[in-house]
């Protein structure tokens, strides 16, 4: 078993999702801190240009996006399950909705003036301007657009009251008595709101939701140790990529294994990663790339939400 290395920073909502999933699985992992804004030279040495947070490293295999990280953790340790048997589609679809729609609302609520003032309290103006410019660039060129605050606030009661009703009537978690990927996806968006004192009151009316958040928080992050970025890159250089999965499918877009391709997110953070296509599956795309610091790497992307095309 190769060590799990999470590249993240504390304030990232999607990193909190990954940290909790690691805790849920009872896995030990290494923590590599990355900058919240570009440039991220150590991270992009591993990913080839993908910049979103977090990234999971397993030796010379690099996993992008928490949707795929969840599936890799499921391979690492089957139980407890993130995708419960017989509820795989429901769990994944609910998680996708939360990662996109609910998170978009959480961002808009956080980035209203009072939320921004709290987030950046005491920070130099140059740091604030740098963060805003970075996020503007992050959201340029993709299909995602910032949701206006008044729309997010207006729709928030519908989203939260649905959760409140279900949690009141149907158990401790969203699909039964145990957490699944749907819970972790919903939680990180609401954690982002709860972590900002200026806007956390948006959760106050929802007693069952707040109790569920407490149960999710209590899962914890598992056992982890700090690791330097240089050490993580050295681990990648010394390792070889894992054997490819055996369940490849025919490329739906006519690409061929061995072909030069680029992969990019569709919605935001659309920086392209160039490499050689080595695998296409129903849920995953893998490309091989060489880096002068990290050596031969396999970079893994989820199929949904990403584009792969000939270079």
């Amino acid at each position: 078993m190769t060590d799990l290395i999470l590249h993240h920073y504390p304030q990232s909502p999607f990193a909190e999702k990954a940290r909790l999933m690691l805790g849920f699985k009872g896995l030990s992992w290494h923590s590599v801190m990355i900058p919240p804004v570009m440039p991220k030279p150590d991270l992009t040495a591993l990913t080839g240009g993908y910049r979103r947070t977090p990234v999971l490293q397993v030796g010379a295999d690099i996993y992008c996006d928490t949707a795929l990280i969840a599936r890799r953790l499921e391979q690492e340790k089957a139980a407890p399950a993130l995708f419960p048997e017989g509820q795989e589609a429901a769990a994944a679809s609910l998680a996708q909705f939360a990662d996109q729609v609910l998170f978009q609302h959480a961002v808009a609520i956080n980035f209203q003036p009072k939320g921004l003032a709290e987030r950046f309290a005491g920070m130099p103006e140059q740091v604030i301007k740098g963060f805003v410019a970075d996020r503007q660039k992050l959201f340029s060129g993709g299909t995602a657009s910032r949701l206006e605050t008044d729309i997010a606030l207006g729709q928030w009661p519908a989203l939260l009251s649905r959760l409140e009703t279900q949690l009141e009537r149907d158990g401790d978690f969203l699909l039964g008595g145990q957490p699944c990927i749907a819970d972790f996806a919903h939680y990180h968006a609401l954690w982002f709101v709860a972590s900002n004192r200026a806007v956390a009151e948006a959760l106050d009316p929802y007693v069952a939701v707040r109790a569920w958040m407490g149960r999710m928080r209590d899962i914890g992050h598992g056992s982890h140790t700090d690791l330097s970025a240089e050490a993580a890159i050295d681990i990648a250089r010394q390792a070889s990529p894992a054997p490819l999965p055996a369940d490849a499918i025919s490329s739906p877009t006519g690409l061929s294994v061995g072909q030069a391709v680029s992969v990019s997110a569709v919605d935001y953070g659309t920086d392209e990663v160039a490499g050689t296509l080595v695998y296409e599956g129903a849920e995953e795309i893998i490309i091989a790339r060489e880096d002068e610091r990290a050596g031969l790497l396999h970079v893994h992307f989820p199929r949904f939400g990403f584009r792969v095309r000939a270079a």
Side-chain angles (χ1 to χ4, degrees):
M1 183 183 295
T2 305
D3 288 350
L4 304 172
I5 303 170
L6 189 70
H7 298 257
H8 65 123
Y9 62 90
Q11 299 83 8
S12 164
F14 279 97
E16 179 64 10
K17 177 186 174 186
R19 293 186 292 257
L20 273 183
M21 290 193 295
L22 285 159
F24 176 64
K25 289 287 189 180
L27 294 167
S28 298
W29 52 284
H30 298 292
S31 169
V32 176
M33 288 291 112
I34 63 174
V37 299
M38 292 294 277
K40 305 180 182 184
D42 296 321
L43 180 68
T44 54
L46 296 170
T47 65
Y50 178 85
R51 57 155 294 181
R52 284 157 51 166
T53 306
V55 166
L56 179 70
Q57 176 187 350
V58 188
D61 287 88
I62 311 301
Y63 296 84
C64 302
D65 197 283
T66 54
L68 187 60
I69 289 171
R71 295 184 181 276
R72 178 60 182 83
L73 296 182
E74 201 84 326
Q75 294 171 14
E76 190 75 12
K77 187 177 180 182
L82 287 166
F83 299 89
E85 185 175 356
Q87 295 181 305
E88 294 91 343
S93 297
L94 281 171
Q96 180 187 316
F97 172 84
D99 284 344
Q100 296 174 346
V101 177
L102 185 62
F103 180 67
Q104 188 181 37
H105 284 72
V107 169
I109 288 171
N110 260 276
F111 285 7
Q112 60 184 298
K114 65 179 181 180
L116 282 174
E118 175 65 24
R119 286 273 175 206
F120 295 116
M123 292 188 183
E125 185 176 354
Q126 185 176 358
V127 172
I128 298 172
K129 288 182 177 179
F131 180 88
V132 171
D134 179 83
R135 290 308 188 262
Q136 287 174 341
K137 185 175 181 180
L138 179 68
F139 280 88
S140 66
T143 59
S145 58
R146 278 284 170 81
L147 187 65
E148 294 179 17
T149 299
D150 63 336
I151 295 175
L153 289 170
Q155 295 181 158
W156 188 252
L159 296 175
L160 270 292
S161 63
R162 293 171 189 174
L163 282 179
E164 181 76 4
T165 299
Q166 177 155 335
L167 288 166
E168 284 177 339
R169 296 177 179 175
D170 195 28
D172 287 343
F173 299 99
L174 295 183
L175 289 179
Q178 295 292 326
C180 69
I181 187 62
D183 292 275
F184 293 97
H186 280 77
Y187 176 79
H188 82 88
L190 301 185
W191 173 87
F192 193 39
V193 175
S195 65
N196 186 335
R197 291 181 300 177
V199 300
E201 62 189 20
L203 296 167
D204 285 351
Y206 308 103
V207 176
V209 169
R210 288 189 283 110
W212 163 81
M213 290 182 70
R215 293 191 289 274
M216 293 297 296
R217 182 178 60 249
D218 289 345
I219 291 169
H221 297 162
S223 173
H224 65 278
T225 56
D226 293 338
L227 187 72
S228 71
E230 279 297 333
I233 290 171
D234 186 62
I235 287 169
R237 184 171 59 249
Q238 298 297 326
S240 298
L244 294 169
D247 57 349
I249 65 171
S250 298
S251 174
T253 56
L255 298 172
S256 302
V257 168
Q259 186 172 356
V261 298
S262 66
V263 182
S264 60
V266 173
D267 48 3
Y268 64 94
T270 58
D271 308 76
E272 292 191 338
V273 180
T276 301
L277 182 66
V278 295
Y279 170 84
E280 284 195 73
E283 293 283 356
E284 183 179 15
I285 296 162
I286 307 174
I287 65 171
R289 55 175 299 272
E290 290 266 3
D291 183 83
E292 61 181 12
R293 297 172 63 197
L296 175 64
L297 303 160
H298 280 180
V299 187
H300 303 240
F301 300 91
R303 177 175 293 281
F304 192 89
F306 283 75
R307 170 190 294 167
V308 56
R309 54 186 173 185

